[in-house]
Amino acid sequence: IQRTALEVCFYAPWCGHCKKLEPVWNEVGIEMKNMGSPVRVGKMDATSFSSNLKGDLAYNYRGPRTKDDIIEFANRVAGPLIRPLPSQHMFEHVRKRHRVFFVYVGGESPLKEKYIEVASELIVYTYFFSASEDMLPEYLTLPELPAVVVFKDGTYFVYDEYEDGDLSSWINRERFQGYLTVDGFTLYELGDTGKLVAIAVIDDKNSSVEHTRLKSIIQEVARDYRDHFHRDFQFGHMDGNDYINSLLMDDLTIPTIVVLNTSNQQYFLPDRHIENTEDMVQFINNILDGTAEAQGGDGVLQRIKRIVYDAKSTVVSVFKSSPLLGCFLFGLPLGVISIMCYGICTADTDGGVDEHEAVKKENSDRELTDDGSEEEKEEEKNGKYAELSDGELKQKDLLEKKKD
């Protein structure tokens, strides 16, 4: 019985990323239908229907927004969790088709139960198969059974519980090729591996010696020093420096090499020019032994810097994409704030004038009151003179003449 799966794109009508994905999504639907796939493709307005999708299993896609990658994801999660390999011919077919895949070899065991458990979590990223030992090529030698093997980079690697630790962590680290073309989605996924990411930041369209040389150095280290660094490092190159500049809040000049720690936002830059593979190996060893200077991080100051940087970037991007919209979004609030400030300042000034007038009036009344008191005193003095007898007045006059 063939299972029917539903692949749904949840979108928002106002979202620019959703509008950019729409033509790709339409191509996915057409191709899945032409292939006769059991996967049905649709889309749903997440702003209106946020909880109408129900099912036993749901997988979220976090990969690149390309037609081929989305179709690959749909076919992977719609099929069996563990796919059997019944023959060597089928194994060779799988090996040619998939860049990375895992195989459980052996019968029933606790390791197989763990393998199934991990597959249920990581099926969104990679393929899981099972096979008996005689279905595998003769060149593959296993130290013991049961075993879990990853095939990639033209070779294979066997899981060792004592050296590699937990099976889930090992599969999560090994699901990537040794060398990658790195973009924002890849860096996001690499954050779950706990590895440092060594990147040659170049311009793919630039064929100059310096650009191709740095890319070749990273490729050589990934290939020739796998046994030394693969547990701690992922290698690759990135086309252009726009994304890396926004991530580091710095302005890197390309071509260059940078090592990212995606777990704590730190990064390392070489303190001298990388001329060859030996220089790159020395740079990596300096990072491992702690002698290389780490920049960035997730401290308080860096978080504040990130807030300011993101706000500045948002304002600049809005004005670049739509100047009128930028003027409306930022000009209107500033205008309202300006009017409020003007009103507050004006209200304070009027209040000050009224208070000044009140004080002035009060002082005037006090002067009038003081003047009235002097007149009252003069009248009281004159009244006292009137009350004196004629003799007393004559006596007072004589005293005054004597004084003169």
Side-chain angles (χ1 to χ4, degrees):
I1 300 174
Q2 191 179 40
R3 289 193 306 170
T4 300
L6 180 63
E7 187 174 33
V8 180
C9 171
F10 291 94
Y11 71 95
W14 45 264
C15 175
H17 295 289
C18 300
K19 294 177 180 178
K20 187 176 180 180
L21 177 63
E22 185 175 5
V24 176
W25 191 253
N26 292 335
E27 291 180 8
V28 169
I30 294 172
E31 186 155 338
M32 296 291 283
K33 183 178 180 180
N34 294 338
M35 292 167 54
S37 171
V39 179
R40 299 292 179 262
V41 179
K43 60 182 179 179
M44 183 177 290
D45 185 348
T47 62
S48 301
F49 307 98
S50 58
S51 60
N52 288 1
L53 186 65
K54 297 181 180 180
D56 296 331
L57 290 173
Y59 299 104
N60 294 325
Y61 179 65
R62 300 195 303 178
R65 268 52 173 171
T66 65
K67 182 189 71 172
D68 292 339
D69 287 303
I70 293 173
I71 291 175
E72 179 78 3
F73 164 79
N75 289 330
R76 185 167 62 246
V77 299
L81 190 63
I82 310 294
R83 291 168 164 84
L85 294 175
S87 66
Q88 290 190 11
H89 176 74
M90 179 60 72
F91 172 83
E92 291 299 327
H93 172 75
V94 169
R95 188 178 63 84
K96 292 177 181 178
R97 182 172 180 180
H98 303 301
R99 291 168 292 185
V100 180
F101 64 96
F102 295 84
V103 179
Y104 172 82
V105 185
E108 298 297 325
S109 69
L111 181 61
K112 184 175 182 179
E113 294 177 3
K114 182 64 176 177
Y115 181 74
I116 295 173
E117 179 184 336
V118 174
S120 65
E121 297 175 1
L122 301 180
I123 187 66
V124 293
Y125 300 118
T126 189
Y127 283 91
F128 295 88
F129 297 88
S130 65
S132 60
E133 189 175 13
D134 57 349
M135 294 297 108
L136 299 177
E138 295 180 356
Y139 65 80
L140 191 148
T141 57
L142 300 175
E144 61 180 0
L145 292 178
V148 177
V149 187
V150 58
F151 293 86
K152 66 176 184 178
D153 301 331
T155 184
Y156 67 93
F157 305 95
V158 182
Y159 166 67
D160 186 326
E161 183 178 2
Y162 297 102
E163 291 188 5
D164 299 316
D166 180 65
L167 178 64
S168 177
S169 299
W170 178 76
I171 291 178
N172 200 34
R173 291 194 305 268
E174 296 293 340
R175 63 187 175 90
F176 298 97
Q177 292 177 278
Y179 183 89
L180 299 170
T181 300
V182 180
D183 57 15
F185 290 109
T186 310
L187 278 178
Y188 179 76
E189 291 184 6
L190 287 171
D192 296 333
T193 66
K195 290 184 177 184
L196 299 175
V197 188
I199 304 173
V201 185
I202 62 173
D203 182 358
D204 274 339
K205 297 178 181 178
N206 192 325
S207 58
S208 66
V209 175
E210 186 66 12
H211 287 257
T212 56
R213 185 179 61 82
L214 289 182
K215 181 178 178 180
S216 298
I217 289 174
I218 296 292
Q219 289 174 329
E220 290 174 10
V221 173
R223 182 186 66 245
D224 299 338
Y225 291 84
R226 173 188 159 80
D227 293 340
H228 295 82
F229 301 134
H230 82 279
R231 286 187 174 87
D232 300 303
F233 282 85
Q234 176 65 52
F235 299 92
H237 79 274
M238 177 177 285
D239 181 20
N241 62 347
D242 291 340
Y243 182 83
I244 203 73
N245 283 346
S246 65
L247 184 65
L248 306 183
M249 296 180 289
D250 202 346
D251 189 14
L252 298 183
T253 303
I254 58 175
T256 189
I257 288 176
V258 60
V259 176
L260 303 176
N261 186 338
T262 56
S263 62
N264 62 8
Q265 307 302 316
Q266 287 185 340
Y267 64 96
F268 301 85
L269 297 173
D271 56 0
R272 58 192 178 91
H273 196 62
I274 301 295
E275 294 287 349
N276 48 47
T277 303
E278 287 72 24
D279 288 344
M280 186 65 200
V281 171
Q282 183 61 51
F283 177 44
I284 293 175
N285 285 327
N286 290 343
I287 294 173
L288 291 175
D289 62 26
T291 58
E293 181 184 0
Q295 303 183 49
D298 55 359
V300 176
L301 293 178
Q302 285 295 318
R303 293 178 183 179
I304 295 173
K305 183 179 178 181
R306 168 59 63 186
I307 293 172
V308 174
Y309 182 88
D310 289 344
K312 179 182 176 182
S313 300
T314 301
V315 172
V316 171
S317 62
V318 168
F319 274 98
K320 281 185 177 180
S321 60
S322 179
L324 291 178
L325 178 62
C327 292
F328 176 78
L329 290 177
F330 299 103
L332 182 61
L334 289 175
V336 173
I337 293 173
S338 300
I339 293 173
M340 292 175 62
C341 293
Y342 176 78
I344 293 171
C345 294
T346 304
D348 290 343
T349 302
D350 292 344
V353 172
D354 293 341
E355 184 178 353
H356 177 72
E357 291 295 334
V359 171
K360 185 176 180 180
K361 182 177 180 181
E362 183 179 351
N363 291 336
S364 177
D365 292 341
R366 285 179 181 176
E367 291 176 359
L368 291 175
T369 303
D370 293 341
D371 291 343
S373 297
E374 292 294 334
E375 291 175 357
E376 291 175 359
K377 289 178 181 180
E378 187 67 26
E379 289 177 359
E380 182 179 355
K381 182 178 180 181
N382 293 335
K384 288 181 179 180
Y385 282 134
E387 292 176 359
L388 294 176
S389 60
D390 293 338
E392 291 174 338
L393 288 174
K394 289 179 180 180
Q395 186 177 357
K396 188 173 183 178
D397 289 337
L398 290 173
L399 291 173
E400 290 180 352
K401 287 179 179 180
K402 288 179 180 182
K403 290 179 179 179
D404 294 336

